[in-house]
Amino acid sequence: MSTPDKEASSQQADLEALVAQAIAIQPRAWAPYSRFFVGAAVWGEGQVFSGVNVENASFGLTICAERAAITAAVASGVTQLTAVAVCTQTQASPPSSPCGACRQVLREFAADPRTFRVIAVNPDGARREWTLAELLPDSFSGAELP
Ligand code: THU
């Protein structure tokens, strides 16, 4: 059995791998209109899934990087997510936090919003961190639905 210290350090290593994946994928963003390149990676059930923002000439069809990563996870059968890393551009310093729509979609698959980690970075190494509950307090989870 691993000690709490070991668990914490392996969790930190997992988060660093998540951040590295978000940074690595960011250049693949399809953002010819905004020129705002975003990479995202989500952690769930021991696996990493990544995505980029995909824009469209019909502007309203743009998909954010976070939601692209989430759909990749769900398509692989992974629906219990515990962290997301988002990489925006160096010029966007401090790094941007996820938009409201993405926060709500993250909430859908967050195993626990109070411990779900949201890490925003840029390729220069700037970093901001929150829990999902901090970014989306009193969230709508669907628990109220009949
Ligand atoms: N974008 C994301 O990918 N994630 C966010 O959380 C905020 C915005 C994208 C959408 C669009 O392609 C570009 O950034 C500018 O809004």
Side-chain angles (χ1 to χ4, degrees):
M1 225 178 70
S2 63
T3 64
D5 268 5
K6 260 195 185 156
E7 246 170 57
S9 71
S10 86
Q11 219 175 50
Q12 196 54 41
D14 292 344
L15 291 176
E16 294 315 314
L18 196 68
V19 166
Q21 183 59 27
I23 293 171
I25 199 143
Q26 187 224 18
R28 293 198 193 148
W30 181 256
Y33 307 104
S34 72
R35 309 298 302 164
F36 192 69
F37 289 62
V38 187
V42 292
W43 182 270
E45 302 172 29
Q47 294 179 68
V48 173
F49 300 90
S50 51
V52 294
N53 53 328
V54 180
E55 298 185 349
N56 189 274
S58 175
F59 294 166
L61 300 179
T62 292
I63 300 167
C64 289
E66 296 90 325
R67 279 178 283 154
I70 292 166
T71 55
V74 173
S76 292
V78 173
T79 56
Q80 291 291 299
L81 306 179
T82 54
V84 64
V86 185
C87 178
T88 49
Q89 294 175 134
T90 299
Q91 308 91 284
S93 197
S96 309
S97 66
C99 79
C102 289
R103 293 178 195 196
Q104 180 63 31
V105 177
L106 285 165
R107 174 66 186 90
E108 182 80 12
F109 300 105
D112 180 351
R114 293 164 304 176
T115 56
F116 188 100
R117 304 275 291 272
V118 180
I119 306 171
V121 299
N122 70 23
D124 269 358
R127 189 182 284 218
R128 297 162 81 194
E129 281 198 48
W130 310 264
T131 66
L132 184 58
E134 286 170 337
L135 291 182
L136 195 66
D138 297 322
S139 61
F140 179 67
S141 70
E144 301 84 346
L145 297 174

